[in-house]
Every structure is written in C-alpha cells, then in structure tokens.
C-alpha cells in the first residue's frame, strides 16, 4: 500500500512548517520538507536511481498545493476557535 503521511505545524518550532513521508508497505521511501522543497530518498536507493526531474517537479507541485490547503484550513480553525497564540 502507498501512503503519504504529512504534517503542518503553525508556530515557532525547530521543525519545518510542512513535511511529508512517502511510505510503501510501511517502509519510508522518501521525505519532503518545505525547507528543502524536493523529495529526499530514505532507504536503499540513492536520489539518482529513485527520482527524475519530472518526479521532483510533480512532487513539488503536489506538496506545495497540500501545504497551501493545510495552511488555509489551519487559519479557519484558529479563527473559529479564537485561538491565535501558541503552536498549532
């Protein structure tokens, strides 16, 4: 099974605001963070074997879209619950 697990953190933390892990059968294959803005391999394959330029462009497009969506949803929740301070 293919799974993308992603997180969005609003606030001042040492972690990236948005990150995602690509997993196949519960084995992490790649990692994406807003800081790097590209898929980074995790596992037995190196970057040249695993990802082509087109894959990187597609991943950046998908994850940038997800980040914008998460950010908008977080703003709606923060406004709805009137909780503007701290980490979310």
């Amino acid at each position: 099974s293919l799974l993308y697990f992603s997180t969005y953190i609003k606030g001042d933390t040492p972690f990236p605001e948005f990150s995602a892990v690509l997993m196949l059968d519960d084995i992490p294959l790649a990692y994406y963070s807003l800081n790097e803005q590209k898929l980074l391999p995790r596992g037995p394959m190196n970057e040249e074997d695993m990802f082509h330029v087109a894959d990187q462009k597609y991943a950046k497009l998908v994850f940038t879209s997800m980040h914008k969506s998460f950010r908008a949803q977080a703003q709606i929740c923060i406004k709805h619950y009137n909780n503007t301070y701290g980490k979310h």
Side-chain angles (χ1 to χ4, degrees), residues 2-75:
L2 182 65
L3 172 74
Y4 280 103
F5 180 77
S6 56
T7 59
Y8 174 79
I9 303 171
K10 180 168 176 52
D12 187 29
T13 67
F15 304 107
E17 182 176 338
F18 177 81
S19 62
V21 177
L22 167 65
M23 298 175 73
L24 180 64
D25 294 333
D26 296 331
I27 299 170
L29 294 180
Y31 172 77
Y32 179 90
S33 79
L34 187 63
N35 298 346
E36 299 290 329
Q37 293 192 353
K38 70 177 188 173
L39 280 174
L40 300 172
R42 297 287 189 253
M45 300 177 77
N46 62 24
E47 192 169 349
E48 292 80 26
D49 293 338
M50 197 167 188
F51 306 116
H52 300 287
V53 174
D55 295 333
Q56 290 290 355
K57 287 181 183 178
Y58 181 70
K60 185 174 180 178
L61 175 72
V62 169
F63 290 124
T64 300
S65 176
M66 287 176 68
H67 173 245
K68 288 179 183 178
S69 175
F70 282 19
R71 184 174 47 204
Q73 290 174 7
Q75 290 292 50

